[in-house]
Amino acid sequence: MKSTHIPVVVVGGGPTGLCLALCLRQQGVECMVLEKNEHPTQHSRSIGIHPPSLQLFEKLGIVKSFLNQGIKIRKGHAYLGSSYIGSIEFSSLPAPYQYVLSIPQSKTEIILEQACRKVDKSLVRRSVECNSFNQTNHGIQLTIKNEKGEAEDITCEYLVGCDGKRSVVREWAEIAFEGSHYPDTYIMGDFEDTTPFGDDAMITLHQEGLVECFPLGDGQRRWVVKTKTYRQNPSAEEIKAHIYKRTGFDLGDSTPTMCSSFGVQHYLAKTFAKDRVLLAGDAAHVISPIGGQGMNLGWLDGVSLADSLKTSLSTKNDASLRSYAHRQRLIALQAGKR
């Protein structure tokens, strides 16, 4: 059986795992990302990138790729039903990123993965399944089914779970994941943009629930509608009807590229670091996805964890990793309260 050793193995090739890998390599730390899916996500999913994340991407040398493909949201408009209330601008934010960047997660993952492969073609391994986990005094041993369907052993000093809210790594490490669902539920869709808002965002307050929309680029706009109960597999016509009733905007014959529904959850891992296992992103915390909070918080985990892993590997002392776990857990706890 083939055997590979690498200091840090990251399980999960989504936004958090890919960003962590870039941060680690910038710090000079050898790592590898293992991802079970063959391709990056094809869905728009999380779309908002906040200024601190853009500052991070600038340090990683990849911010221009995001700015070239994203929409800069500099202003948001508020309505009460069809009555205009007012607007808020982001011009008071520190320069140069005085906006929220809107870009589909499908594009975000491609940009991050391309940056990883530019550093090292073998940095990200796709179509890999992690089958078993064994922790020893000297590190961690993983048994995987590799890209060829063959069994392979990988050993590492540290294993990082960036594999989402149903994290296998967190389960292997027996780290409790505590929380619950909020009562809030939403339906959303990506439609042709027929509004006058251009690159601006909009929120409408209505007695039946809020409606918000954001520019997506390529002539599309994301609409999010609060619902009284969870609606599985919502239709385009259902979403359009709610939008028209609450805002007065008629989306006409626009055909969406995506329709979906979601509930709002809050979950927090009991710890982000246990022995040689670490957690980041949704594997560590799940908060409201409104405004892209979860994805951006995952990137903050990534840059903090990369610094701590660099220190731990060079000093052979895990104090920095315990500090990471304490610090980022507090940040996630505060974010969840919002």
Side-chain angles (χ1 to χ4, degrees):
M1 181 186 297
K2 182 181 177 182
S3 182
T4 304
H5 177 79
I6 195 155
V8 179
V9 170
V10 179
V11 177
T16 298
L18 294 171
C19 182
L20 172 60
L22 287 172
C23 292
L24 285 168
R25 289 304 295 266
Q26 189 178 65
Q27 294 271 26
V29 176
E30 289 294 316
C31 62
M32 176 187 294
V33 178
L34 305 179
E35 168 57 46
K36 65 180 180 179
N37 293 316
E38 184 179 359
H39 303 290
T41 182
Q42 302 297 304
H43 303 290
S44 55
R45 300 180 68 177
S46 187
I47 63 173
I49 300 182
H50 302 168
S53 298
L54 293 171
Q55 291 168 2
L56 167 60
F57 294 155
E58 182 178 353
K59 292 178 181 178
L60 293 172
I62 57 175
V63 72
K64 287 185 179 180
S65 297
F66 283 96
L67 299 182
N68 288 340
Q69 297 190 51
I71 299 294
K72 299 172 183 176
I73 302 177
R74 302 180 185 273
K75 183 184 293 186
H77 305 286
Y79 288 78
L80 184 61
S82 58
S83 299
Y84 175 73
I85 300 174
S87 299
I88 185 170
E89 298 188 25
F90 300 137
S91 56
S92 62
L93 293 175
Y97 305 117
Q98 297 171 308
Y99 47 80
V100 172
L101 191 74
S102 175
I103 180 171
Q105 186 173 326
S106 53
K107 292 184 178 180
T108 291
E109 291 191 12
I110 290 173
I111 292 171
L112 290 171
E113 185 161 341
Q114 286 176 343
C116 285
R117 296 193 183 281
K118 187 176 181 180
V119 172
D120 182 347
K121 291 182 180 180
S122 61
L123 182 54
V124 180
R125 295 179 60 180
R126 288 192 169 274
S127 302
V128 172
E129 294 183 18
C130 298
N131 293 330
S132 66
F133 156 94
N134 181 42
Q135 189 162 198
T136 70
N137 292 332
H138 305 290
I140 289 177
Q141 180 180 20
L142 283 174
T143 300
I144 68 169
K145 184 169 75 172
N146 65 22
E147 304 90 330
K148 298 178 181 179
E150 302 168 342
E152 180 181 337
D153 280 344
I154 298 178
T155 59
C156 59
E157 273 93 276
Y158 295 101
L159 179 68
V160 185
C162 296
D163 49 341
K165 65 181 180 181
R166 297 181 180 87
S167 171
V168 171
V169 173
R170 189 186 63 240
E171 182 179 332
W172 279 344
E174 298 181 341
I175 298 174
F177 202 46
E178 300 170 344
S180 63
H181 286 69
Y182 290 110
D184 307 74
T185 57
Y186 299 85
I187 53 179
M188 67 179 183
D190 297 344
F191 292 85
E192 176 187 355
D193 191 354
T194 58
T195 74
F197 298 121
D199 290 348
D200 296 347
M202 184 278 288
I203 183 169
T204 294
L205 306 177
H206 190 276
Q207 62 184 3
E208 293 187 13
L210 66 82
V211 177
E212 50 189 358
C213 65
F214 313 92
L216 273 180
D218 298 327
Q220 288 197 312
R221 180 167 284 267
R222 160 75 56 84
W223 288 88
V224 181
V225 179
K226 192 175 186 302
T227 55
K228 292 182 179 180
T229 58
Y230 182 72
R231 300 286 298 165
Q232 191 169 9
N233 301 320
S235 68
E237 296 308 314
E238 178 183 3
I239 297 174
K240 289 179 184 180
H242 283 300
I243 292 170
Y244 181 70
K245 181 177 181 181
R246 300 183 197 179
T247 71
F249 283 103
D250 187 354
L251 301 190
D253 297 327
S254 175
T255 301
T257 56
M258 178 279 295
C259 288
S260 67
S261 57
F262 64 93
V264 181
Q265 308 169 359
H266 61 103
Y267 284 88
L268 190 64
K270 194 70 174 178
T271 180
F272 291 8
K274 183 178 179 181
D275 300 323
R276 293 179 175 271
V277 175
L278 302 141
L279 303 176
D282 285 355
H285 45 70
V286 173
I287 62 174
S288 170
I290 297 296
Q293 295 179 97
M295 182 171 67
N296 287 270
L297 184 57
W299 287 329
L300 294 180
D301 289 345
V303 66
S304 178
L305 181 52
D307 290 339
S308 296
L309 281 166
K310 168 70 173 179
T311 300
S312 182
L313 286 165
S314 60
T315 63
K316 305 299 181 184
N317 187 312
D318 290 345
S320 63
L321 296 176
R322 292 191 293 272
S323 295
Y324 157 78
H326 178 72
R327 180 176 60 254
Q328 294 305 120
R329 192 175 189 277
L330 284 179
I331 291 172
L333 189 61
Q334 290 300 317
K337 289 180 179 178
R338 289 198 295 271

